[in-house]
Structures are given as structure tokens and as C-alpha cells.
Amino acid sequence: MSRMQLVLTLGLGALLLATWGFASYQRARAAEEMAAAAKSFLDSLSSEQRARTLLEFEDDERMNWHFIPDSMWPRKGITFKELDPAQRHLAYALLSTGLSQRGYVKATTIMSLEAILKELEKGTGPVRDPELYHFTIFNEPSPNRNWGWRVEGHHISLNFTLVHGKMVATVPTFLGSNPAEVKSGPRQGLRVLAREEDLARDLLLSLDETQRRTAILEGEVPKDIITGHDRKAQPGDPVGLPVSKMNPKQKDQLLALLKEYARNLPEELAAAQIEKLQQAGIDRIHFAWAGPLERGHPHYYRVQGPTFVVEYDNTQNNANHIHTVWRSLEGDWGLDLLKLHYDASHQK
């Protein structure tokens, strides 16, 4: 290798290392724990189960995502329903490596709401089953190759991509809740995604009249998140009130809202996610709201920065049905990291 080639290789390597520090990826403990848990889970499966669970990294299914019930959107992978008790423990162990304690509680509670929906709908809606959540692994887990995994079903889509087995992309991340608030029965008052609603409304109420005129969107409240289940998030230009027009307390409130989403992830991944949006510029983030200020009415909000968009929607079922999503504008499924990795490998 010539001196110039060595300099270029080392430079690209340094760039890759620097990227690990600010993006929504982290190279050490999270990646190792995911790989170990995924391998244990795969090893527990029969050959037939393993064939359905383990797909190629390049399989089109990896970016074929949705948040509607399984009966409306057939998925590949294996469900809790098909696992024996020992395998289920290993599946839950894998799920826990991608989430913080609060994120794990949210996800498993969202799954449990299927039983409430089944009772409320009395067979008139889609199939409701807390065990119809699919685990899919893309490529053999390894510290030296690209691989990924997903847990998905009604109101949950958790997508993780590990580039060269070390860097972890965590988007898209979707969590929803129906009902948003349980109105009756033993679990009356339960609100799985309460803080996602309350922190945003607190910020809105803190705005003065001039700020609200900019933050509150005119027209009808969107019927759902506008980025939908598209493979590339395209929310359009940022709208609403820029952080540069907020006072220090309001900036802190906005950051607290974003941290509520980020902290569904393990601590180091959450910190990397927040660091990335900070480096892109907090003052360049916009906050937009649609709908009335009071609880109980259809409403929507969006938080959008140069590198990400967070959407929240609560319009269905008499404004008692929440959808939330965190998308990267360039890095869903680790596409930005994969490009950097391939560029570096090609240069070598």
C-alpha cells in the first residue's frame, strides 16, 4: 500500500469512528448484546422455524414495514404464538436489548392492549392477539458483518441495523396505542404514551400568542402520520415554530419531549440519537401542532430537524388512538452508515 492509500484509508477510518460518536448508533455494548441475544434465540429454533425467521440482509422484507394488524399486512418471521415457553423467554430477551426499561414496558404494554381491543370489538375488527408480533432476523448475527433484526405487529415496528456488526441504527421506530387511554375495566386510566402527548401539549400551552400563530397549522388535522409507512420519510419542508424563536425554558421543554422518544432506547443509543440532532442544530428544529389545545380532541404534532422527523397523531376512535414515529431523513435502516461503510471498504 502506498503512503497516499494509507492516508486515505486511515482518514476514512477516522471518519467512520467519528460518525459512531454522534449518530443514532453505538458500537460497543448494545451491538454485542443484540448479537448474543439474537444468536441464542436463533439457536433455540427448529430448522423449520429458523428458516422462516432468518432472511438475507438484502431481502426486500427488511424495509417492508407497517404498523397495522397482522391480518391486514402479512409479515415474514416467527410470532410469539409459534414459540414454546423457553423460546419466548429468549425472544423477550432479544427485544429487551433494543429498548430501555421504559421502552420495554411501553412495547409490551402496547402488545397487551390487543386483548382490550378484542373485547371492545367483539369480533367485528381485525384479528386481535397479543401474541401476533413477528421476530425477523436479517443475516447471521456477527461482529464482522452487516445484519439486522425487527420486531413488528400492530402498533409496533422496531427496526435495528448493525453495520459491520458494530454500529447500530435504530430507525424507523414506531409505537402506537389503541386505546390511548383505557376508559373502563380493571386497567381504567392506563395511558401507555401519556408523556408523548402531555409534554407536547405543555410546550404548546407555554407559547405566547405570537408563537402559537406560527406553531399551530391551519386546516384540518391530518388523519394519520403523514410519512405513513413509506420506505423513505418525506415530510416536506419543516413547518411551525423554529426553536430559534423559543425562550430557554421552551427549548428545554422541546428537548424533554425528544428525549422521551429517544429514551425508549438503551441509554447509549438514546444519547447518540440526541447528540446527532444537537450537532445538526437544535435551533433548526421546528415544532408544529394541528388541532385544539384541550385534551380529548383530534390533534397532531410534528418535530422536524435537518436529520430527523418525529410525528404524533391522535385522531382516530374519537381521539383515543395514538400513532408515533421517529424517522431519519437519510439513515432509516442504517442507509447512511451503510454508504459510509461501503465507501470506506471500496477505498481500501
Side-chain angles (χ1 to χ4, degrees):
M1 180 182 293
S2 70
R3 182 176 179 180
M4 182 57 70
Q5 288 175 318
L6 179 60
V7 169
L8 287 171
T9 299
L10 291 175
L12 285 166
L15 179 61
L16 194 60
L17 286 167
T19 302
W20 292 349
F22 69 80
S24 56
Y25 331 105
Q26 215 281 345
R27 69 175 186 258
R29 188 175 64 196
E32 294 171 359
E33 290 180 352
M34 287 179 185
K39 186 177 185 306
S40 294
F41 176 56
L42 284 173
D43 288 347
S44 75
L45 303 178
S46 68
S47 57
E48 185 273 333
Q49 289 175 320
R50 183 185 177 95
R52 288 192 290 116
T53 305
L54 183 62
L55 305 180
E56 296 293 332
F57 184 75
E58 295 78 13
D59 196 297
D60 190 62
E61 178 70 10
R62 192 167 74 87
M63 300 182 193
N64 188 33
W65 78 292
H66 215 317
F67 43 84
I68 57 178
D70 185 68
S71 57
M72 301 168 64
W73 184 266
R75 297 169 170 91
K76 294 182 180 180
I78 194 165
T79 65
F80 284 113
K81 201 174 189 72
E82 302 168 276
L83 303 174
D84 64 33
Q87 292 169 332
R88 290 188 191 192
H89 283 301
L90 294 172
Y92 279 118
L94 174 57
L95 175 62
S96 72
T97 65
L99 297 169
S100 63
Q101 183 177 13
R102 77 168 71 188
Y104 183 83
V105 170
K106 287 180 185 179
T108 53
T109 306
I110 287 166
M111 293 177 185
S112 75
L113 293 179
E114 292 295 284
I116 292 177
L117 285 177
K118 184 176 182 179
E119 182 177 343
L120 289 173
E121 294 172 348
K122 301 186 184 305
T124 61
V127 175
R128 305 295 189 185
D129 191 334
E131 296 183 340
L132 283 180
Y133 287 85
H134 292 247
F135 283 76
T136 315
I137 297 174
F138 303 94
N139 210 356
E140 290 277 359
S142 166
N144 299 309
R145 66 166 64 100
N146 300 328
W147 69 282
W149 60 286
R150 180 181 72 197
V151 180
E152 188 175 276
H154 185 218
H155 279 163
I156 291 177
S157 185
L158 303 172
N159 299 273
F160 302 93
T161 306
L162 290 90
V163 177
H164 203 55
K166 297 178 176 64
M167 298 168 286
V168 186
T170 61
V171 280
T173 301
F174 181 99
L175 294 175
S177 180
N178 182 18
E181 179 178 356
V182 180
K183 299 294 188 179
S184 62
R187 305 172 78 184
Q188 183 176 355
L190 173 66
R191 297 173 64 210
V192 182
L193 302 176
R195 286 177 60 81
E196 286 82 349
E197 177 177 353
D198 295 346
L199 288 172
R201 182 172 283 106
D202 288 346
L203 171 59
L204 182 69
L205 294 174
S206 77
L207 303 180
D208 62 33
E209 186 176 343
T210 300
Q211 289 174 313
R212 286 186 193 176
R213 281 199 296 267
T214 305
I216 298 178
L217 305 177
E218 296 182 357
E220 293 186 2
V221 179
K223 302 299 183 184
D224 204 339
I225 57 173
I226 65 171
T227 53
H229 66 108
D230 294 345
R231 294 192 176 194
K232 182 172 177 58
Q234 300 184 69
D237 294 333
V239 294
L241 182 69
V243 172
S244 60
K245 301 295 184 181
M246 296 182 183
N247 63 40
K249 181 179 178 181
Q250 292 164 345
K251 290 182 181 182
D252 289 342
Q253 288 177 291
L254 179 75
L255 193 56
L257 173 61
L258 290 172
K259 286 180 177 178
E260 181 62 31
Y261 283 87
R263 287 173 178 167
N264 291 326
L265 303 171
E267 182 178 356
E268 65 270 25
L269 298 181
Q273 200 168 45
I274 293 299
E275 186 179 356
K276 181 178 182 180
L277 64 86
Q278 287 176 325
Q279 291 206 4
I282 291 291
D283 284 353
R284 299 171 66 189
I285 296 173
H286 287 63
F287 171 75
W289 179 281
L293 278 64
E294 300 80 13
R295 278 197 67 204
H297 298 278
H299 59 286
Y300 164 95
Y301 69 78
R302 187 195 321 172
V303 184
Q304 184 173 341
T307 61
F308 77 100
V309 61
V310 167
E311 285 192 275
Y312 165 105
D313 183 87
N314 187 352
T315 60
Q316 302 175 47
N317 300 94
N318 297 315
N320 196 30
H321 182 156
I322 292 173
H323 289 170
T324 73
V325 70
W326 184 305
R327 301 290 303 267
S328 169
L329 300 182
E330 298 295 337
D332 279 349
W333 295 283
L335 293 180
D336 55 346
L337 257 190
L338 285 165
K339 182 180 185 305
L340 184 63
H341 172 63
Y342 290 143
D343 287 349
S345 299
H346 178 73
Q347 184 61 50
K348 289 179 183 180

